[in-house]
C-alpha cells in the first residue's frame, strides 16, 4: 500500500503505473480506480480556484488506516491513495484511490469503500473561490 | 500539564488562531480544553475533534503532552 | 466515447490519459476505471498463456452499445472501452472500462454496469494454456 | 437465398468449420439454418446466436443476404 499527500499537481496515470509495477506478478485479476477531479462549477456557482487544507500527520495516518482496512476486508493485492492539497485549478486531479485484487467484485467494493471513508472522515477542507467570493465548502455529498 | 491545541479551516479563521500551547491543570476533558483554549467561545454544532491524531469525543480525557485538535466537518476527496 | 479492440498489448494508463484530454474541460468531477489483467492462475491451475477470440464487427458494435447505454443512463461526460484479443501473457491488461461523470456515484455505477454487461454479453472467448493442456474457458464468474 | 453462417470458439473447433456460405430455401429460422449448416448436428444446450451481429432467438427468421452466427457462452473481460 502507498499513501501520498501532494502539495503539487500529480498525474494519476503515472502514479498508477509506478505503483502497479511493484505489485507481485500474476496475482491481481482486476483493479478499480477512482479519480476525483476539480470541476469549474459547484452548487450552481462557477469556481475559479480552490484551496485544500489538511491536518499534516493525522491526514496521512487516516489514509493509511483506510488502506489497511480495505486490504484486510477484501484481501487486496495492493491499495493506493493520493490526495492533493494547496491551490488547485479546474481539471486538476484532487484524489486518486485504487484497489488491486484477484476478482473484480472485491476491487470495486474496496475502492468504493476507500473513497467514501476518505470523503466522510479524512481531515481535508476545501475553500472555493467563486464569482461570489471565497467560501469554505460546508459538507460533502452523501455518496 | 502542557498540551498543544490546533484549529483547522473555517474554525481556525473564526477563532483567529491555528495552534496554541496550553498550560492547564490536570484531569481535563476535550470539552474543558475547548473552553480554556477559546476563552469560552460557543462550540459549533458540528465540531469534530481529535487527540493525538485520532478522532475523539468531548468527554474524552486529555493528558500531559497530548496534541488536541478541533475542526469543522471534512470536505476532502 | 471510444471503443477499441486491440490485437497488440495496450497500456491502460496512456489510453486513459489520451482519451481524457479530449473531454470537455471542467465538466467531470469523477472517473471510475476498471482494468482486468491476466493472472497466472485460474480455477486452481497455473496458466501460462491465453488466446482471446472475438467476432469482428459484432464485438465492436456491442461494446459501442454498452457505452451508449451507460452514457444515456448515467449522463456521462465520457466513456471508454478497450479490449485485447489474440495471444496474451500473465500481467497483460485484458480489458479497460472507464466512465467520467459529474459525481462519483454515477461514475462507479456506470463502470460497474459496463464491465458486467461486457462480461455477460460481448462476444469474446478465452482459451487457456495450462500445465494440464489447452482448454476453452466455459463461463465467466457471475459478478 | 444466400446466407453467411459463422461459428466461433469451441463450437467452431467441434464442428470443424468457421464460416460457410449457404444456399438455402426461403422462410428459414435460425433453427433451420443450424440444421442445414451443421448437417443436423446436436445443438449445444447453451448456444448463443446472432443475425447481422445482433443477438437473436432460435425461432427468428433469416432473410436473404443475412449474416448468421452461432457461438458458445462468452468469456471476455
Amino acid at each position: 500500500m502507498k499513501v501520498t499527500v501532494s502539495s503539487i499537481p500529480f498525474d494519476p496515470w503515472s502514479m498508477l503505473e509506478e505503483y502497479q509495477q511493484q505489485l507481485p506478478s500474476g496475482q491481481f485479476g482486476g483493479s478499480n480506480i477512482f479519480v476525483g477531479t476539480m470541476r469549474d462549477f459547484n452548487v450552481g456557482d462557477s469556481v475559479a480556484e480552490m484551496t485544500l487544507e489538511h491536518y499534516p500527520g493525522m491526514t496521512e495516518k487516516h489514509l493509511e488506516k483506510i488502506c489497511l482496512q480495505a486490504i484486510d476486508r477484501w484481501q487486496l493485492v495492493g491499495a493506493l491513495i493520493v490526495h492533493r492539497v494547496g491551490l488547485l485549478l479546474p481539471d486538476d486531479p484532487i484524489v486518486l484511490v485504487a484497489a488491486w485484487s484477484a476478482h473484480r467484485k472485491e476491487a470495486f467494493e474496496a475502492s468504493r469503500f476507500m473513497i467514501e471513508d476518505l470523503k466522510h472522515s479524512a481531515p481535508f477542507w476545501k475553500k472555493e473561490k467563486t464569482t461570489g467570493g471565497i467560501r469554505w465548502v460546508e459538507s460533502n455529498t452523501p455518496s | 500539564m502542557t498540551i498543544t491545541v490546533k484549529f483547522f479551516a473555517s474554525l481556525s479563521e473564526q477563532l483567529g488562531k491555528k495552534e496554541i500551547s496550553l498550560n492547564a491543570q490536570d484531569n481535563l476533558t476535550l470539552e474543558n480544553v475547548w473552553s480554556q483554549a477559546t476563552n469560552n467561545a460557543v462550540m459549533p454544532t458540528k465540531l469534530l475533534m481529535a487527540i493525538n491524531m485520532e478522532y475523539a469525543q468531548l468527554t474524552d480525557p486529555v493528558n500531559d503532552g497530548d496534541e488536541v485538535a478541533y475542526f469543522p466537518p471534512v470536505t476532502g476527496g
Side-chain angles (χ1 to χ4, degrees), chain B:
Chain B
M1 67 179 195
T2 305
I3 57 175
T4 302
V5 183
K6 297 187 173 198
F7 304 97
F8 290 95
S10 56
L11 183 65
S12 167
E13 286 185 357
Q14 284 152 23
L15 296 170
K17 45 190 139 195
K18 276 185 173 304
E19 179 173 338
I20 58 172
S21 185
L22 204 67
N23 289 307
Q25 70 205 64
D26 286 359
N27 301 318
L28 293 185
T29 64
L30 277 176
E31 188 166 17
N32 308 136
V33 171
W34 168 269
S35 301
Q36 286 198 32
T38 66
N39 304 316
N40 296 304
V42 176
M43 197 177 281
T45 46
K46 287 183 175 177
L47 189 69
L48 297 175
M49 56 208 81
I51 299 175
N52 296 327
M53 302 184 177
E54 294 280 354
Y55 278 105
Q57 310 286 331
L58 268 184
T59 50
D60 285 342
V62 177
N63 297 307
D64 187 34
D66 279 355
E67 173 175 310
V68 163
Y70 301 91
F71 44 82
V74 302
T75 55

Side-chain angles (χ1 to χ4, degrees), chain A residues 38-42 44-51 86-92 127-135 137:
Chain A
M38 190 184 154
R39 289 175 302 165
D40 58 12
F41 61 95
N42 191 25
D45 290 314
S46 169
V47 181
E49 55 181 62
M50 188 167 81
T51 309
L87 179 68
L88 283 85
L89 299 175
D91 286 339
D92 274 2
K127 198 183 194 175
E128 293 174 338
K129 186 174 174 182
T130 72
T131 36
I134 291 173
R135 67 182 179 202
V137 176

Side-chain angles (χ1 to χ4, degrees), chain A residues 6 14 33 37-38 55 60 65 69 71 78 94 109 133:
Chain A
S6 174
S14 63
I33 298 140
T37 310
M38 190 184 154
Y55 181 172
E60 291 82 352
K65 195 157 82 180
Q69 284 181 332
I71 288 168
I94 302 171
E109 289 180 3

